Amino acid sequence: NIEDLKKEGVDALIDYVKSPAEGVTLLLLSDQVQINERLKKAVGKEGTKIFWELFENQKQRWIATFFRERNISIDEEASELILDLVDNNTLDLRSACERLVLFYGEGSRLSAEDVENQIYHSKEENVFSLFAKLAAGDLEGSLDVCVRILESGSGQAVQLLGGLIWQFRRLHGLRLMLDSNFSRDDALSRAGVRGKRNGELYLRGASNFTTHQLGEILGLQARYDALLRSTPADAQRHILSMFIYFVAARKGREEEPVAI
């Protein structure tokens, strides 16, 4: 967020850049292309690197093209999950997609379940173990897992929120089908939940949240996603913790009902 620096901060950085300490690397980061011209001039072109992010309508096309060139097809849901769980720049997307190519190989068809298994299930704590705590309504456990993921560097707040919302959308769909009197097995199949362990997890979540509460949780997503993206990285943990609190402790309700 160096674009937010006041004059005093800019002056101090320029003074440092003129005579930097030996053996030290200083990284100045910004999400903006345009930053203070004096600071840009002090750093110089040789010290500047711009990483361009794809437009939203280009990201899924990039993924589809990547796998098509390797004779692999990918479901739209799987492509969306990759974008939810991986930093949206081509370097990180390429790394995640190459892992999928190495594991599944030419001629395969990738599903959302394949993406789950290879991108996050190999880690001890991940967005799926965090969802398991939230589905059980375990606030303390959810916050503990969240902190461990963030401190380990294996996930960032924005990606964690995206992964949670993806799973809550699936849980909401399951809850709707159960409300419509589908059998448990049929509802799980239609919601795309496979495997005994996953089935038990989602059924536990469906029994812990009503359809209305899950709708409230999904309604929080847009606001908290915007909050995370406009908050400095060192404060994002607090924003994500608030979201977790409203899910686990308040089941999507941000305000207490007022008795009249």
Side-chain angles (χ1 to χ4, degrees):
N1 297 102
I2 59 169
E3 70 277 3
D4 295 334
L5 280 177
K6 305 300 182 186
K7 181 179 183 301
E8 295 79 6
V10 171
D11 290 343
L13 277 176
I14 290 175
D15 287 342
Y16 178 82
V17 169
K18 290 177 181 176
S19 181
E22 293 185 8
V24 174
T25 299
L26 174 64
L27 298 178
L28 306 177
L29 306 179
S30 174
D31 289 334
Q32 306 297 318
V33 177
Q34 296 300 325
I35 62 171
N36 184 280
E37 287 296 328
R38 292 171 55 233
L39 186 56
K40 185 189 297 186
K41 184 177 179 180
V43 172
K45 290 184 178 181
E46 68 280 1
T48 301
K49 178 67 177 177
I50 299 178
F51 297 90
W52 298 101
E53 182 179 343
L54 295 171
F55 288 113
E56 289 299 323
N57 62 357
Q58 294 176 318
K59 293 172 183 176
Q60 280 203 346
R61 192 187 317 147
W62 187 95
I63 292 174
T65 300
F66 179 93
F67 287 111
R68 184 170 60 250
E69 290 174 349
R70 291 153 181 81
N71 194 27
I72 295 175
S73 58
I74 182 168
D75 295 343
E76 182 177 349
E77 187 181 16
S79 179
E80 290 174 352
L81 182 56
I82 291 174
L83 292 174
D84 276 337
L85 300 181
V86 180
D87 281 347
N88 288 338
N89 60 71
T90 53
L91 183 64
D92 289 325
L93 284 175
R94 183 179 298 278
S95 176
C97 291
E98 284 176 348
R99 285 177 54 191
L100 291 165
V101 170
L102 285 172
F103 190 86
Y104 291 103
E106 185 176 340
S108 58
R109 181 175 185 84
L110 301 179
S111 67
E113 187 175 11
D114 298 327
V115 175
E116 285 184 35
N117 290 334
Q118 286 308 308
I119 292 183
Y120 271 110
H121 277 181
S122 59
K123 300 176 182 177
E124 184 177 352
E125 295 291 3
N126 51 63
V127 70
F128 298 101
S129 58
L130 176 55
F131 173 73
K133 295 290 185 183
L134 285 172
D138 182 355
L139 174 60
E140 184 177 352
S142 298
L143 291 173
D144 179 59
V145 170
C146 177
V147 168
R148 278 192 271 169
I149 295 172
L150 294 175
E151 288 185 346
S152 71
S154 60
Q156 296 182 8
V158 173
Q159 282 68 48
L160 284 178
L161 179 61
L164 289 174
I165 291 302
W166 183 83
Q167 293 174 94
F168 271 108
R169 286 198 192 107
R170 179 183 277 183
L171 180 58
H172 184 246
L174 173 64
R175 181 68 267 176
L176 284 171
M177 281 179 274
L178 291 173
D179 291 345
S180 300
N181 296 318
F182 283 93
S183 69
R184 298 201 321 175
D185 289 344
D186 198 12
L188 287 169
S189 176
R190 287 171 179 265
V193 180
R194 297 175 179 82
K196 182 178 179 181
R197 182 180 175 187
N198 270 350
E200 291 173 351
L201 166 62
Y202 274 85
L203 288 171
R204 184 162 58 248
S207 67
N208 193 40
F209 294 93
T210 66
T211 303
H212 175 75
Q213 289 168 342
L214 290 168
E216 293 280 297
I217 290 169
L218 293 177
L220 293 178
Q221 184 266 341
R223 190 165 82 82
Y224 277 85
D225 183 71
L227 277 172
L228 283 174
R229 294 179 186 276
S230 61
T231 301
D234 57 356
Q236 288 182 357
R237 177 186 300 183
H238 304 296
I239 302 296
L240 187 58
S241 295
M242 287 170 58
F243 175 81
I244 288 172
Y245 167 75
F246 286 122
V247 171
R250 304 280 286 277
K251 298 191 174 182
R253 191 178 68 248
E254 289 190 281
E255 297 180 1
E256 290 285 6
V258 178
I260 299 177

